[in-house]
């Protein structure tokens, strides 16, 4: 569906032509002074020079042309030459009626559909997910959904950290604890089906081994050796690694499922190791990489860098590949397998320099195409109320599971107290509302900013929160339920010309949904969707409080109200789906 501003822009351009002015640059925007008008255009301003006329005189000519032609808007010429516009209610009602029939709720298609990979999640195998992984998952999932909504072909990749020292640490520690296991016997050639640990054992082993490696030099050496033997293909270690992967991914999947986060690709760092030797040799041969104090580096500094960009190290002096090498190899593989137009990384902003180095290296090496876009959406830190990175009460790293449990429990109590939900639905409802609280609390902030995770604020049913949005949706649902019709049926009723301010404001907000989603997709900015659905919820609630919907005696007027309500519900549901959560029927 075309944007409302696009239709208005075309009509206004016709009036410019009719008045004898060049219509080429005419655009209409939503007003930034809603107290004065709904839409505005400054298209008369730049024409003053060529027309040898004051901008205000041009604007007045255009207004006169509009009046002669009959337009979908009222228009005024104001000093120094702006055009202030207000849409005619019948035009707006007609637009809204078309939106109600549109399967995409007015979301426009991107000008060019692209193949995009979103790299988000980035959990590390055998380590539990902690709150630091929450933002990557929540923001990445939303960006993926938004990009899909405007028609791009998107793949989400979890990009597991499954190849580093953490695996070597686990192997070394298991060897101390269970030296009799066949994985350590170099003559063994079959290994048991069953893993030699459970997920909770695995999660206990990693931090234990990691702490030990910091004080016990010999153990650290063992872990490094195990890592390198694993990487060079020692059979027993590969088999053990398989088991670690199996147990750990099963647990990760369960956790992401709970967050309503879904990846199309479960690839990881290990998948691209096979390309590394060839890539390194090639970079060295072509003189792109050079040796510096035993290490192999790519100089990626550029003229005009405001901050020093250190060289990208792709091989350490001991021969080991690094985090950057793996990311370079991953881009290589992605180009080979999927040929994306764009790769979006949703990763902590503290890794910004890493991505600058990696992106510059692949460009220099011609691994990507001329037009391939590489974008790092760096997010800030989730802090506690003390302004320091979010921790448990005793100062430890907060596991994601514990955080969700805590919030769900609090929400369940609240929901049971409200008594709007059947006893047997309380738990499920609490899960949905809790997820909205966590996700909306995160997404409503610009991703790059640090934010304070304030449980009390985020879980409130009032204010700019997920539960408030859900509450508004539930209100719509329950009115339709009481009217005895479905959303679909209500959307088939006829829209009328809005008679009051609140109705018109609601319609204008509804009409803005498509443009907002388009902006969010272009800017990779879920917070825009949050700001929008909050605005829409407010204007709906304003309308609701001033209108007797079910008590309306005129049947067709009542049906029109129900249609407006159903469209609001539909748009809000579509909005929260883009953010990655859903709404209960009651709460
Ligand atoms: N596993 C990494 C970490 O925990 C994050 C990976 C981010 N993605 C990437 N392609 N580098 O820091």
């Amino acid at each position: 569906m075309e944007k409302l501003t696009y239709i208005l822009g075309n009509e206004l351009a016709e009036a410019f032509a009719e008045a004898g002015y060049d219509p080429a640059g005419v655009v209409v925007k939503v007003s930034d002074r809603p107290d004065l008008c709904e839409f505005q255009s400054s298209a008369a301003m730049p024409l003053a020079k060529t027309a040898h006329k004051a901008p205000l005189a041009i604007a007045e000519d255009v207004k006169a042309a509009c009046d002669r032609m009959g337009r979908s808007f009222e228009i005024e010429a104001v000093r120094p030459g702006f055009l202030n516009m207000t849409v005619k209610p019948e035009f707006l009602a007609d637009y809204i009626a078309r939106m109600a029939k549109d399967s995409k709720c007015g979301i426009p298609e991107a000008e060019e559909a692209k193949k995009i990979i979103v790299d988000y999640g980035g959990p590390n195998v055998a380590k539990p997910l902690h709150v630091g992984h929450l933002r990557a998952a929540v923001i990445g999932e939303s960006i993926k959904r938004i990009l899909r909504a405007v028609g791009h072909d998107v793949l989400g990749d979890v990009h597991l950290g499954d190849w580093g020292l953490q695996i070597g640490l686990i192997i070394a520690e298991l060897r101390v604890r269970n030296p009799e296991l066949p994985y350590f016997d170099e003559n063994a050639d079959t290994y048991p089906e069953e893993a030699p640990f459970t997920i909770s054992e695995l999660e206990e082993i990693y931090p234990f081994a990691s702490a030990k490696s910091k004080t016990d030099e010999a153990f650290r050496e063992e872990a490094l050796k195990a890592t390198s033997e694993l990487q060079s293909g020692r059979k027993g270690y590969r088999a053990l690694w398989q088991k670690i992967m199996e147990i750990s991914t099963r647990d990760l999947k369960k956790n992401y499922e709970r967050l309503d986060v879904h990846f199309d690709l479960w690839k990881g760092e290990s998948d691209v190791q096979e390309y590394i030797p060839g890539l390194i040799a090639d970079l060295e041969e072509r003189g792109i990489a050079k040796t510096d104090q035993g290490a192999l580096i790519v100089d990626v500094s550029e003229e005009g860098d405001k901050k020093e960009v250190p060289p990208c190290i792709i091989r350490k002096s001991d021969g080991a590949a690094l985090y950057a090498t793996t990311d370079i190899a991953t881009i290589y593989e992605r180009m080979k397998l999927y040929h994306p137009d764009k790769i979006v990384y949703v990763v902590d902003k503290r890794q910004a320099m890493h991505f600058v180095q990696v992106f510059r290296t692949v460009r220099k090496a011609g691994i990507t195409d001329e037009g391939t876009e590489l974008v790092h959406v760096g997010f800030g830190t989730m802090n506690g109320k003390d302004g320091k990175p979010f921790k448990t009460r005793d100062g430890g790293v907060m596991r994601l599971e514990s955080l969700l449990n805590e919030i769900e429990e609090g929400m369940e109590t609240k929901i049971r107290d409200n008594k709007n939900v059947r006893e047997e639905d309380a738990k499920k409802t609490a899960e949905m509302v809790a997820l909205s609280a966590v996700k909306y609390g995160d997404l409503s902030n610009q991703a790059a900013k640090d934010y304070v995770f304030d449980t009390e604020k985020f879980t409130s049913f009032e204010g700019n929160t997920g539960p408030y949005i859900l509450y508004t949706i539930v209100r719509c649902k329950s009115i339709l339920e009481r009217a005895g019709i479905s959303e679909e049926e209500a959307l088939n009723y006829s829209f009328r010309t809005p008679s009051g301010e609140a109705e018109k404001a609601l319609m204008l907000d509804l009409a803005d949904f498509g443009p907002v989603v388009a902006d969010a997709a272009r800017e990779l900015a879920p917070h825009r969707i949050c700001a929008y659905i909050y605005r829409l919820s407010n204007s709906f609630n304003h309308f609701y409080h001033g209108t007797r919907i079910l008590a309306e005696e005129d049947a067709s007027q009542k049906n029109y109200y129900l249609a407006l309500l159903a469209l609001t519900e539909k748009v809000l549901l579509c909005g929260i789906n883009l953010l990655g959560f859903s709404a209960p029927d009651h709460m």
Side-chain angles (χ1 to χ4, degrees), residues 250-526:
R250 193 184 308 150
D251 183 64
L252 286 170
K253 285 191 173 156
K254 196 183 79 199
N255 275 287
Y256 282 123
E257 201 65 38
R258 185 171 174 194
L259 284 172
D260 205 351
V261 167
H262 313 274
F263 298 97
D264 306 288
L265 302 174
W266 277 81
K267 288 184 146 288
E269 298 181 349
S270 65
D271 287 296
V272 299
Q273 299 307 315
E274 55 179 297
Y275 304 112
I276 290 181
L279 269 174
I280 289 187
D282 174 57
L283 291 183
E284 215 173 353
E285 233 161 72
R286 289 195 286 142
I288 292 166
K290 56 175 194 274
T291 313
D292 185 88
Q293 297 168 35
L296 196 62
I297 64 165
V298 179
D299 178 8
V300 287
S301 64
E302 281 173 12
E303 228 174 278
D305 280 343
K306 290 199 189 68
K307 209 163 102 187
E308 193 205 330
V309 180
C312 185
I313 308 176
I314 57 173
R315 191 181 60 210
K316 287 197 291 186
S317 50
D318 66 3
L322 297 96
Y323 183 45
T325 326
T326 300
D327 264 322
I328 293 165
T330 305
I331 296 177
Y332 174 81
E333 187 190 52
R334 286 176 180 161
M335 292 307 291
K336 196 165 85 117
L337 298 183
Y338 312 106
H339 216 91
D341 301 301
K342 182 168 175 160
I343 308 177
V344 178
Y345 293 83
V346 183
V347 180
D348 195 311
K349 70 177 176 193
R350 286 170 292 193
Q351 294 194 23
M353 187 54 88
H354 164 75
F355 284 107
V356 171
Q357 293 171 313
V358 167
F359 294 171
R360 286 187 180 182
T361 303
V362 295
R363 292 213 180 289
K364 210 167 165 177
I367 292 173
T368 49
D369 294 339
E370 211 42 60
T372 317
E373 270 180 272
L374 301 168
V375 191
H376 172 213
V377 176
F379 53 79
T381 307
M382 169 172 151
N383 288 325
K385 271 184 167 173
D386 56 1
K388 300 207 187 86
F390 199 89
K391 291 267 155 69
T392 54
R393 275 188 209 98
D394 51 21
V397 176
M398 178 71 116
R399 291 181 56 151
L400 192 52
E401 261 185 304
S402 326
L403 177 77
L404 289 178
N405 291 345
E406 221 173 78
I407 295 183
E408 280 178 10
E409 277 158 29
M411 194 53 84
E412 195 175 334
T413 315
K414 204 159 163 171
I415 288 197
R416 286 191 194 279
D417 288 349
N418 283 354
K419 295 201 189 333
N420 290 329
V421 174
R422 285 187 311 194
E423 195 61 20
E424 63 267 34
D425 294 334
K427 194 163 161 45
K428 184 93 196 74
T429 308
E431 283 169 16
M432 289 173 114
V433 184
L435 191 62
S436 81
V438 172
K439 286 194 162 185
Y440 191 95
D442 187 311
L443 294 171
S444 53
N445 301 285
Q446 224 169 303
K449 291 201 175 136
D450 296 348
Y451 77 102
V452 173
F453 193 92
D454 182 339
T455 308
E456 209 175 307
K457 186 167 128 198
F458 289 2
T459 55
S460 167
F461 283 22
E462 277 152 48
N464 189 7
T465 69
Y468 168 70
I469 308 289
L470 294 193
Y471 198 79
T472 307
I473 294 173
V474 165
R475 169 171 279 162
C476 293
K477 286 191 181 190
S478 84
I479 296 170
L480 290 177
E481 198 177 301
R482 276 187 282 150
I485 54 166
S486 68
E487 180 192 286
E488 210 140 297
E489 287 168 305
L491 283 173
N492 277 323
Y493 290 148
S494 311
F495 284 85
R496 286 190 163 183
T497 305
S499 52
E501 268 316 298
E503 271 166 69
K504 192 175 185 206
L506 177 57
M507 283 192 180
L508 280 170
D509 279 337
L510 284 168
D512 211 17
F513 181 56
V516 166
V517 178
D519 287 348
R522 202 175 40 246
E523 296 166 23
L524 305 174

